[in-house]
Amino acid sequence: MEYTVQKLAELAGVSARTLRYYDEIGLLKPGRIRTSGYRIYGRKEVDRLQQILFYRELGMPLEQIAAVLDSRDFSRLETLKEHRRHLLKKQQRLSQLLTNVEASISAAEGETVMNDKAKFEGFKKRAVEENEAKYGEEVRRKYGDAAVDRSNAQFLSMTEEGADRIKRIEEEMFTALEAGMDAGDPGGEAAQQAAALHREWLTFYWDSYNPEAHAGVADMYVADDRFKAYYDKQREGMAQFLRHAIHVYVKK
Amino acid sequence: MEYTVQKLAELAGVSARTLRYYDEIGLLKPGRIRTSGYRIYGRKEVDRLQQILFYRELGMPLEQIAAVLDSRDFSRLETLKEHRRHLLKKQQRLSQLLTNVEASISAAEGETVMNDKAKFEGFKKRAVEENEAKYGEEVRRKYGDAAVDRSNAQFLSMTEEGADRIKRIEEEMFTALEAGMDAGDPGGEAAQQAAALHREWLTFYWDSYNPEAHAGVADMYVADDRFKAYYDKQREGMAQFLRHAIHVYVKK
DNA sequence: GTTGACCTTGACGCTGCGTAAAGGTGTAGA
DNA sequence: TCTACACCTTTACGCAGCGTCAAGGTCAAC
């Protein structure tokens, strides 16, 4: 079964403009193009559009959707299972919103009292969800991500102790990195201290540690602009230096 | 309890920039401004922000949110009940998406077969939801709205017979309006025929008819740019002419 | 051949912010 | 009192993800 733009748009509940835009940015290319120039979409494209719409439902930016779908280890089945997990979480949040609105109705009818924090239950989870969609829960788990976690902790009122500990470790790590960069030696004491702290910092996300994964994270920091920017904002070249320090560290 | 920008932003799960923007567009003004220029939000603003976030959750444009919240007959309790209705509908759609993803998983595991249409169950409802949030379900019910309904029917595969009938009546009405405008007489046979057809068209949305409401709709067509544009796109001045014709019609 | 629905490309514009710069304010600690 | 840091302000640029429109070509039914 093949579709031209409008037909597929109707089928999927999107606009034809959206499909052309997705073609333009390379997110969803037509299966083939007629000599007339018409875009023709087939089974593969239909399936891919479904995946796109599931991710879009979560608020994931289109560029990232493309990256996920184009990655080497993409599997339709695994991705559908992931969608299911996300949708179940979204369902929980919706239940929270419903609880919130019921409580707000009671308060408005004068039956109960509601504090300001409770009035926003569910909305903060939306912020978290969008953060996760943007940065990817998988990415976070694999590589750690201070920006997202600080943001999430802020919203979710993570325990003070836990949040403080993460913060302290990170600060110490940055201090050690600065000293290491001053010394200019990725294998020096300060740099290796930073790498160890980084390892400790990762334990908040990992169930178990292994050096290869640690090195992989370090590579990611340099390869991915978001991470690189985070560290280089502290000091130019810090992401690269940290990567070097970690590579030395994991070889011990 | 009072909040500065960041504090309220954290509480509500939005950004400080968002709050400044809402102030800028008049959607959410601070309760007061310190001599320093700092925005200070109080209880009233907290409640209003909650309402804003509920509407935002539905995809309603900010300008329209402001219009609703600023209308004379705004009532916090009634609005909360409306939010509840919307959230319940959204919950249904989420259930559909979950059903869809389960079916897709079965299909991907080779257990079942899934047609293309089913792959997009739930996503089309999203389009409908956003249309309703944008145009307002209440507005639709009160005044009828061909553009939204055609769009919705398209997505929801409304029965062919019903959709055809709406379409036919509308076409006949436009034809009669053209003839009436050519004759230049809102009270003439053609114009009155158009008004009668318009009344018939409205019966798709109204449980009962009354002339005052019909006249009110006609006024709305001229007062609201969206409706005016829809008719004037057919022919310049058509909205105004239709209004005249209807006012004559309802006086009989 | 005609007509109307659909297709293309190109282009402008919009909503709702994110980000950054420059400079002022508030508060706790030395 | 001074300092440092977190927070505030305004201004301004830019962007994602389209919606809308124009001009012109294509397709299929009558």
Side-chain angles (χ1 to χ4, degrees), chain B residues 47-226:
Chain B
D47 285 351
R48 185 172 169 102
L49 180 57
Q50 188 200 31
Q51 301 275 29
I52 290 167
L53 294 184
F54 272 124
Y55 279 123
R56 193 178 76 161
E57 182 75 25
L58 304 179
M60 189 182 278
L62 300 184
E63 192 179 279
Q64 186 162 351
I65 294 175
V68 169
L69 293 180
D70 294 335
S71 67
R72 283 160 308 182
D73 52 343
F74 170 76
S75 143
R76 176 165 167 81
L77 181 57
E78 288 308 315
T79 304
L80 285 168
K81 287 179 177 175
E82 192 186 330
H83 291 319
R84 180 169 59 188
R85 286 196 297 272
H86 287 145
L87 289 175
L88 287 171
K89 280 211 285 187
K90 197 174 171 83
Q91 194 173 42
Q92 287 172 23
R93 189 174 77 88
L94 198 50
S95 294
Q96 275 190 316
L97 284 178
L98 277 165
T99 300
N100 175 355
V101 82
E102 296 283 4
S104 298
I105 287 172
S106 282
E109 287 171 334
E111 295 169 2
T112 56
V113 174
M114 197 180 189
N115 70 31
D116 288 349
K117 184 167 184 292
K119 287 174 185 172
F120 298 107
E121 278 303 314
F123 294 118
K124 288 156 75 168
K125 282 252 195 281
R126 169 182 169 148
V128 173
E129 267 183 22
E130 288 184 349
N131 270 356
E132 295 195 348
K134 187 173 294 185
Y135 294 101
E137 183 182 340
E138 187 184 357
V139 173
R140 274 187 57 234
R141 195 196 323 260
K142 279 186 180 173
Y143 305 119
D145 188 324
V148 176
D149 289 328
R150 187 179 302 107
S151 178
N152 287 349
Q154 188 178 20
F155 292 140
L156 292 182
S157 305
M158 183 190 275
T159 67
E160 293 290 328
E161 185 187 337
D164 282 351
R165 191 158 158 226
I166 291 181
K167 189 178 173 184
R168 272 199 311 272
I169 291 173
E170 193 184 33
E171 284 170 355
E172 288 173 28
M173 182 181 69
F174 280 128
T175 301
L177 276 172
E178 296 266 11
M181 287 175 83
D182 288 342
D185 180 13
E189 184 178 339
Q192 290 305 294
Q193 169 73 355
L197 285 164
H198 187 259
R199 168 187 173 163
E200 188 178 349
W201 184 83
L202 281 175
T203 60
F204 283 94
Y205 309 107
W206 289 352
D207 296 329
S208 64
Y209 172 87
N210 80 72
E212 288 80 16
H214 196 185
V217 167
D219 292 339
M220 184 72 181
Y221 282 178
V222 175
D224 188 307
D225 283 347
R226 285 170 301 173

Side-chain angles (χ1 to χ4, degrees), chain A residues 15 17-18 22 36 38 61-62:
Chain A
S15 68
R17 175 73 180 107
T18 298
Y22 289 176
S36 57
Y38 282 26
L62 299 187

